[in-house]
Amino acid sequence: RNLLSRITRISELLQLNGALYIADIGAALLAETPVYAPLVLEHPDAHLFSFDGDPRQIAALKARYGSKATVLEHYVGDGEAHTAYVCEETSGMTSLFKPSPRALSFFNGFEDFGRVLRTERVQTARLDSIAAIERIDFLKMDIQGSELSVLQNGTQTLRECLAIQLEVSFVGLYEGQPSFGDIDQWMRAHGYLPHTFVDVKRWSISPVVRNNNFRIPFNQLLEADAVYIKDPLALERYSDVQLKRQVLFADLFFDSPDLAVYCLRELTARGVLNQTALQHYFALLNEPKINTAD
């Protein structure tokens, strides 16, 4: 069975109706396929708000998602004007923070990746001030240091957000960049707990190179994509529909059937679903996932 069938069957067993709103801030199509892409492309009620302040990235985003996305050419932040440090298009290092020469020189290759081509003055938009967004159920961010600013200025828009995937930094490549610890403290203070790392990136320290390829790391941590979920130890704060959406995200985005079952059991305890839903989900776990969205 293909992915569309899986999405449909999970939605049916959850009795899940209504729109699903996904947001990606810093959505440039560079290396990886976002975890949400299959759902957005296959689910009739899923819609993507796709943000990128770099105009070089906009056409590809519109071509990729078509009518399934609202593509917005915004730098998202605190609503103030900032200097953008524009780097080579495919490097993914254009930022509102100035690259740190000391940090870049610590890692092989990053003096080239982080070379600033030009600077420009840009106006940022607060997430809470963007009227086009009704709510966000799942948020992904990769914006080279500005993640914390977006969170701090988006608390109302994110009040129903169930899961947030964002890039966290172990060694800041930019001057004044918030660290993993800064992000973690904010997330915990606002009702989220860490769930998983989608990716942990290590990098080789200059000048030592493994197998003549500086991209093959040794042990030094650089950054990671961390996933936080609305506190699963406080399910009483979840509405019924939020529990249903979290089941969907746990299964499709994070390959976390244990989280999905945990939320399904709460739904049965509330009398929202019966035991048949759990039985159907366990049966579904034995079937392979096939990504047909690409």
Side-chain angles (χ1 to χ4, degrees):
R1 293 179 183 273
N2 63 24
L3 183 60
L4 178 57
S5 174
R6 187 181 186 88
I7 292 170
T8 300
R9 291 170 68 196
I10 294 176
S11 297
E12 288 176 349
L13 74 85
L14 290 171
Q15 302 169 26
L16 181 61
N17 299 305
L20 291 164
Y21 292 116
I22 313 297
D24 189 343
I25 301 175
L29 299 172
L30 296 176
E32 82 285 358
T33 298
V35 294
Y36 61 74
L39 180 69
V40 167
L41 291 169
E42 298 284 3
H43 196 294
D45 296 324
H47 189 78
L48 172 66
F49 295 100
S50 184
F51 294 85
D52 206 290
D54 186 343
R56 299 171 296 182
Q57 312 296 342
I58 299 301
L61 288 168
K62 290 181 177 179
R64 176 74 168 107
Y65 295 106
S67 62
K68 296 291 291 179
T70 300
V71 180
L72 300 165
E73 189 180 323
H74 287 313
Y75 283 99
V76 185
D78 60 6
E80 302 295 328
H82 291 268
T83 297
Y85 297 86
V86 181
C87 299
E88 198 275 325
E89 180 177 354
T90 60
S91 72
M93 289 198 65
T94 294
S95 177
L96 299 182
F97 287 81
K98 184 179 180 180
S100 166
R102 177 176 292 183
L104 295 179
S105 65
F106 180 65
F107 293 104
N108 285 308
F110 271 86
E111 287 181 301
D112 289 330
F113 298 154
R115 182 174 293 112
V116 176
L117 303 179
R118 66 182 187 277
T119 61
E120 56 188 47
R121 201 68 176 163
V122 299
Q123 179 66 40
T124 65
R126 296 174 67 251
L127 191 58
D128 279 344
S129 70
I130 299 172
I133 303 178
E134 178 179 339
R135 70 167 193 274
I136 294 173
D137 300 311
F138 172 78
L139 171 65
K140 180 181 182 296
M141 285 195 288
D142 182 354
I143 43 178
Q144 307 304 305
S146 294
E147 290 84 0
L148 184 57
S149 179
V150 172
L151 293 169
Q152 292 168 334
N153 292 277
T155 53
Q156 290 303 307
T157 303
L158 296 173
R159 64 189 179 275
E160 296 184 50
C161 191
L162 297 168
I164 298 176
Q165 176 184 334
L166 70 171
E167 187 176 75
V168 295
S169 177
F170 302 114
V171 179
L173 297 176
Y174 304 91
E175 296 177 2
Q177 179 181 3
S179 69
F180 173 39
D182 297 326
I183 297 289
D184 186 67
Q185 286 186 340
W186 193 95
M187 295 298 291
R188 289 174 184 270
H190 289 79
Y192 293 88
L193 284 182
H195 178 61
T196 187
F197 288 114
V198 175
D199 181 48
V200 177
K201 183 183 290 184
R202 294 173 172 84
W203 206 268
S204 60
I205 299 171
S206 179
V208 180
V209 174
R210 172 177 281 183
N211 297 340
N212 296 316
N213 183 351
F214 68 79
R215 295 178 183 272
I216 301 176
F218 292 93
N219 293 313
Q220 178 59 54
L221 291 168
L222 173 57
E223 59 197 17
D225 268 17
V227 173
Y228 286 80
I229 60 174
K230 188 175 288 292
D231 190 349
L233 304 183
L235 289 186
E236 68 276 6
R237 299 176 186 170
Y238 279 70
S239 68
D240 295 345
V241 72
Q242 285 180 317
L243 282 168
K244 292 179 179 183
R245 291 170 185 152
Q246 194 73 288
V247 172
L248 192 68
F249 298 156
D251 183 88
L252 295 175
F253 292 0
F254 312 132
D255 192 23
S256 297
D258 51 347
L259 175 60
V261 170
Y262 181 73
C263 293
L264 276 170
R265 291 184 67 197
E266 175 68 13
L267 286 163
T268 61
R270 294 184 186 186
V272 177
L273 299 176
N274 58 39
Q275 289 293 326
T276 304
L278 266 173
Q279 294 167 6
H280 287 169
Y281 183 70
F282 279 118
L284 191 62
L285 289 179
N286 294 320
E287 300 178 10
K289 296 180 185 178
I290 303 173
N291 186 343
T292 62
D294 294 324

